[in-house]
Amino acid sequence: MVDTPPPTASGSLHIGHVFSYTQADVMVRFKRMCGMNIFYPMGWDDNGLPTERRVQNYYHVRCDPNTPYEPGLEVEEASAKVRKKPARLVSRPNFIEICYGLINDDEDYFRALFHRLGLSVDWEQEYQTIDDHCRRTAQHSFLDLWQKGLVYTSDAPTMWDVDYQTAVAQAEAEDRSVPGAYHRIEFAVEGGEDSFVIATTRPELLAACVGVTAHPDDERYKKFFGQRAVTPLFHAPVPIFSSELADPDKGSGILMVCTFGDSTDVQWWRDERLALRQVIGRNGRMLPIEFGSDDFPSLNPEQAERYYAELEGKNVKQAQKRIVELLGEPEGSATGRGAPLQSEPEPIEHPVKFYERGDRPLEHLPTRQWFARLMDQKESLLAKGEEVDWHPPFMRARFRDWTENLSLDWCLSRQRYFGVPIPVWYPLDAAGEPDYDGVIVAEAGRLPVDPTVDLPPGYDAGQRGEPGGFVGDPDIFDTWFTSSLSPQISSHWGSDSVRHAKLFPADVRPQAHDIIRTWAFYTIAKAFLHEDSIPWKNAMISGWILDPDRKKMSKSKGNVMTPLPLLEKYTADAGRYWAASARLGSDTAFDEKVWKIGKRLVTKLFNAGKFVLAQTGETYPISAELDRAFVAKLRNLAESSRENFEAYNYAHSLQETESFFWTHFTDTYLELVKVRARLHADGATGDDLLTSGSAVASLRLGLSVLLRLFAPVLPYITEEVWSWVFAEETGHASIHKAPWPSDSDFSAIAPPDDALSFDLAVSAHAAINKAKADAEVSMGREVETIKLRANQGTLERLGPVLGDVLSAARCLSHVTESHGELEDGVFVIEDAVFAPKPVK
């Protein structure tokens, strides 16, 4: 079984709170056109490029989990005037139904495209990762992990995207190099005259400073360990401690620990049991705080309040700009020795964490989320990764590196609406506050459920949101929580044990290298956590398609394209040829010339098929030396192709088959035997009839085998040519149900007397054609006489196939002459006399 996702984006319509939606907003990433990534927008111009103008299908609604569900709700397109008004509130189920209506239209488009491409899909097995079956499977997964103690809820520092307003898992974060600056700020040491300078790239977090640390072996700061530092501007006393994680060579070697600047701050906060001082809100703006309180102590709260008032309500960039100005004021010093900012900011380029879809850096904010325990499973996950066969093998290292460097448990929950709900409720105490330790988990028999609509066991609808009642968890699962179950979704895990046993683990997962850290990793994790298994035996990892400038194609860069105009121009087979020419694991620059080559191959297959099947002579056992030598090479090709496909080297198989088709079949063997193949039609008898039948049989065998070897890549032209004769002859109506070429195709054919006789025939024929070219006569011109020179051994080995060579070259007479100085297999043509050019 091939483990593939549904043809729709997996939970991709996570649109935040206000939903002003257009069809063009649905961007479905079609991840497998023989392994390549292409983006397809929903609008195109006449040239097949994405349209700038959006299709105006606006439904101005807002998802509100507290709004009751309205059965049969219909919404109309919103005019520009309506969109200026507050959005209509709808329940989450209604919101999802509206999303469904839009994505179903888009699915029709992609389904037609996939049909056109000839994808091998069982269209009776379609699913969406938001349909009932998938929601049931995802929620069943959660219940299984809950029962095993592998998921938990916690109010803890989490990576947070301030624009998407949601938590982000480690696998969804990426480093981007951005400009920044070191700000060298003087801190005081409490109770003395000592001070030190910290170089920080995030001065706006100064109010959130809860500690200072340096490496234990750093002689510059050893004397300060165990004391307290005092921050400038806010005069907050914070502990100074040592840490092996501090880098003496980075900045000034001593760091301020804030809640929270990055994941290392989180680790220090936990390890040192530091205070929590959150200054950035979920909206990315500076929160109101009170200095002099227990949460924000200050030795000079009045001054701290005055300075912080300059920052409150500002976004991160605004706050950073203003605090740098404030740090330039001598009054803000904690030492009394002038401005805390010791010098002008020092520009740098440094990596910063972003959500893979986000525009602003991630923040680490304390939020309540659900997590899966992975940190204590790393060794087991590494072992499972070793059980999978990775193609190409070096991709295993990417999985291993990601797993080894995993630093956080998997954050499962997302603050969005279009997705699979987390199937839990929380009791409310007498004050109406949720009891997060008293989680109420849905019963397995009721799945799928939506806690914002459905009721927990033992409660009635009137208790929702009331003290002593309950509240449903409003969050949904991370999209990878469901997508990581694609093998189990296909096998119907949890609902059909017989089917699951047959289909799980799957045989192969095709995917691109950029989502090894997400889709592959989480799928392996789920299979291990649920059944101590691997999800599939093989992982087939492709690269990206790059634009002509070798940049990754992406919607944001505007360099994406639709294949439809190319399919119209070059055929679907040519498109598949282009895709299958890309080697696994390697990025490939888009080149339209490859489509042209593919179309030329399709045309040649059509013409070769017509010629071969037009030879109406009877077939006899393949007995002629040249025919047996050709079949021996064909047999080697079939075996090599089988080995390549079994090793997932489909691009190499295509390359070998294509090369053989041109150099050993159409341009050589077909030319060498076509005269002999026609002898039957010319009334041949006796031995000539037998050798003619041998040629016809070997031509047909060659065509049959080559069609089957090409079929996975060129399904349309091979099916067409196969249908002319072979479908009836073999009893296999479709080439795609015919057996793969094997020993049974060749077992009745004796090997050639000389393994090199085919190569010698080709070389001799090429030598004669070269003589014609040198004499500037056409390849079809008759030759009245030639002298063929080679060493004696070569001439003797050429003998059994010389007749075919002379017939193909249209030589009426010849002489051979031994020349001992010529190397084996080398022919020289002399004294060639060409027939006069025919008079038209």
Side-chain angles (χ1 to χ4, degrees), residues 425-428 451 454-456 459-461 463-466 468-472:
W425 300 262
Y426 308 102
L428 299 179
D454 298 314
L455 301 176
Y459 291 87
D460 59 50
Q463 294 176 280
R464 185 183 295 276
E466 297 296 325
F470 70 94
V471 63

Side-chain angles (χ1 to χ4, degrees), residues 67-75 88 91 93-94 97 453:
T67 297
Y69 174 67
E70 297 182 51
L73 174 67
E74 295 184 6
V75 291
R88 177 178 179 177
S91 69
N94 288 127
E97 288 174 352
V453 177

